[in-house]
Amino acid sequence: YTYHGPGQRVGYVMLDLQRRGPDLRRYVWRLEEWVIRALARFGVEGERRAGRVGIWVARPDGREAKIAAIGVRVRRWVSYHGVAINLAPDLEHFAGIVPCGISDFGVTSLAELGSGATMQELDAALMATFEQVFLPST
């Protein structure tokens, strides 16, 4: 299942991957990196985990939780879909689903981690970090 609801920022990235080098692993890595850099602007250390989809954080109690999901679709080397970042959703909405098929870990949000970030601030962080990750350096 895919869940998108209030309190999440969903970003559908549509890029011509043929022009950027048709490499799906690199594209997913860049999506992850984009979210990791945006979260860092709020003092949250997002991380990748081998064998798991999405961006993960360590909660104060040491348990790991997913803070962002990644879902990609590509047709004719044009990307669709993208990322969903939990800013301040009602985390109870995730109780009835297993995000990305991973049941051993919970879901968290910037709000649950103590960030007072607004949606506008998250949008600004995503816009500021997008070019760092997706535009070729000159």
Side-chain angles (χ1 to χ4, degrees):
Y1 293 99
T2 298
Y3 170 79
H4 297 309
Q8 280 188 322
R9 172 52 75 216
V10 177
Y12 276 25
V13 181
M14 298 186 340
L15 297 172
D16 181 349
L17 299 179
Q18 186 67 44
R19 288 185 30 203
R20 296 168 179 275
D23 184 337
L24 290 180
R25 289 179 195 262
R26 182 178 173 121
Y27 173 63
V28 170
W29 184 92
R30 284 183 171 171
L31 286 174
E32 293 168 340
E33 187 66 19
W34 179 38
V35 173
I36 288 168
R37 290 184 188 200
L39 292 173
R41 291 180 171 239
F42 303 103
V44 173
E45 185 178 352
E47 301 174 332
R48 296 172 181 88
R49 291 290 185 262
R52 293 193 232 154
V53 178
I55 302 302
W56 299 83
V57 297
R59 289 180 171 154
D61 64 7
R63 294 181 301 138
E64 294 180 73
K66 180 184 266 191
I67 194 165
I70 295 178
V72 174
R73 179 173 178 177
V74 175
R75 189 171 69 210
R76 296 183 184 153
W77 289 109
V78 174
S79 66
Y80 298 89
H81 305 298
V83 300
I85 303 166
N86 294 333
L87 175 68
D90 181 346
L91 296 176
E92 287 297 316
H93 292 172
F94 292 95
I97 64 171
V98 180
C100 298
I102 300 169
S103 60
D104 297 334
F105 303 93
V107 177
T108 192
S109 67
L110 282 166
E112 185 181 59
L113 295 174
S115 173
T118 66
M119 195 64 78
Q120 293 78 15
E121 291 168 330
L122 179 56
D123 288 345
L126 289 166
M127 286 187 272
T129 55
F130 185 85
E131 289 184 7
Q132 298 170 2
V133 176
F134 284 100
L135 291 184
S137 58
T138 54

